[in-house]
Amino acid sequence: MSSRPATAPVSAGGSALLPRHVAIIMDGNGRWAKKRHLPRIAGHRQGVEAVRRVTRAARAMGIEALTLYAFSSENWRRPEDEVSDLMGLLRLFIRTDIDEMVRENVRLRVIGDYRRFSPDLVALVEDAIARTAANDGPILVIALNYGAQAEIAAAARRLAEKARDGTIDPAMIDEAAIEAELDTSDLPPLDLLIRTSGEIRLSNFLLWQAAYAELLFVDTLWPDFDAATFADAVAAFSSRQRRFGGL
Ligand code: FPP
């Protein structure tokens, strides 16, 4: 069997163990706004500020990959106005922050079926990915119209097509073959998955990749998340003993 144990955390220039790949379910924007009697968009706007703080903090700490759940395949069920506000914020974020990503050697990646977004947003996303493609520093992955079950179904479909066409033997389909078809195939294995706002569920995010990840649920609402809370989360990861099924 081709199982590779999930990541062994790398040493960060000393004794602290750093996760290579951190993913975050950024939850609680709406509640943050409600507590202040503000419209939900105000919470999402502050959420973008938290994205900036945390991507910078992750970069400064030497985290190789940071994956952020910005829009799930279920988020289309929100009122049209809110979906449109989120698209607007994404547009603004890419336009405003792309120069910093290029300058800071960040590689921007997207997972999920983002091609269902409006053509101008698709073009903006693809242009931003292309502008950072030659960078070789930290990877910022934004999950857009992402759903893990759809991702796994698409991987199964592609493998079935290859089997039908005779390019693979069904008996050879193992975990590595499935992983190679996932949107995350060229990213470091997921080490730490954080969800903010006190909710304790994965909401169809990185279900395959989370098999051996450490899960951390924190009460902080996403707009309040900052470099210090991120550092606390990484410290919590570092203090856990990972056994990957062994003893
Ligand atoms: C969850 O809060 C948050 C989202 C559905 C969207 C996350 C989006 C952002 C932080 C802004 C855009 C992102 C980028 C990368 C530019 P919620 O609305 O479900 O909060 P609630 O559960 O308190 O209502």
Side-chain angles (χ1 to χ4, degrees):
M1 206 187 74
S2 66
S3 63
R4 60 137 179 74
T7 349
V10 293
S11 176
S15 56
L17 291 176
L18 259 195
R20 291 180 65 196
H21 183 178
V22 179
I24 309 181
I25 302 175
M26 309 181 287
D27 198 7
N29 295 350
R31 276 162 284 167
W32 185 94
K34 193 170 179 198
K35 271 179 28 184
R36 290 162 179 78
H37 308 288
L38 294 169
R40 293 177 59 81
I41 175 74
H44 294 314
R45 265 194 215 111
Q46 287 308 308
V48 176
E49 290 307 317
V51 166
R52 292 199 173 100
R53 288 193 296 268
V54 170
T55 50
R56 285 172 190 152
R59 205 158 68 216
M61 290 171 86
I63 307 280
E64 283 177 55
L66 177 69
T67 300
L68 302 176
Y69 207 3
F71 194 88
S72 79
S73 44
E74 287 76 32
N75 285 154
W76 295 108
R77 294 185 197 141
R78 293 191 176 207
E80 218 172 287
D81 280 3
E82 183 164 347
V83 170
S84 152
D85 284 343
L86 285 168
M87 300 291 153
L89 283 177
L90 184 64
R91 226 179 242 111
L92 189 63
F93 172 75
I94 295 177
R95 287 205 181 110
T96 313
D97 288 49
I98 183 64
D99 288 341
E100 177 175 330
M101 289 183 222
V102 172
R103 197 172 58 240
E104 297 294 328
N105 198 23
V106 172
R107 272 176 289 174
L108 178 67
R109 287 275 314 274
V110 168
I111 58 171
D113 191 9
Y114 71 94
R115 289 182 186 85
R116 281 211 33 217
F117 288 176
S118 66
D120 74 296
L121 188 48
V122 172
L124 190 68
V125 166
E126 290 182 346
D127 178 63
I129 293 171
R131 282 188 61 195
T132 64
N135 287 351
D136 60 4
I139 308 171
L140 173 61
V141 186
I142 305 185
L144 296 178
N145 193 22
Y146 174 86
Q149 291 179 338
E151 178 193 32
I152 295 167
R157 207 158 42 238
R158 280 192 292 272
L159 288 169
E161 284 162 2
K162 288 181 185 174
R164 181 197 58 203
D165 298 344
T167 52
I168 53 164
D169 174 358
M172 302 300 285
I173 297 177
D174 59 5
E175 295 92 324
I178 294 173
E179 277 193 7
E181 297 291 340
L182 299 176
D183 292 1
T184 51
S185 60
D186 54 350
L187 297 173
L190 182 63
D191 291 319
L192 173 63
L193 193 156
I194 303 167
R195 183 175 188 141
T196 61
S197 90
E199 304 291 342
I200 305 179
R201 57 179 172 271
L202 294 181
S203 297
N204 203 14
F205 190 44
L206 300 176
L207 298 181
W208 176 284
Q209 297 84 345
Y212 283 99
E214 292 294 324
L215 307 182
L216 189 66
F217 300 96
V218 298
D219 288 335
T220 312
L221 301 176
W222 177 248
D224 291 326
F225 210 78
D226 59 15
T229 33
F230 185 72
D232 288 346
V234 169
F237 168 88
S238 307
S239 70
R240 290 190 190 178
Q241 207 189 348
R242 301 176 85 199
R243 292 196 295 273
F244 303 107
L247 290 177

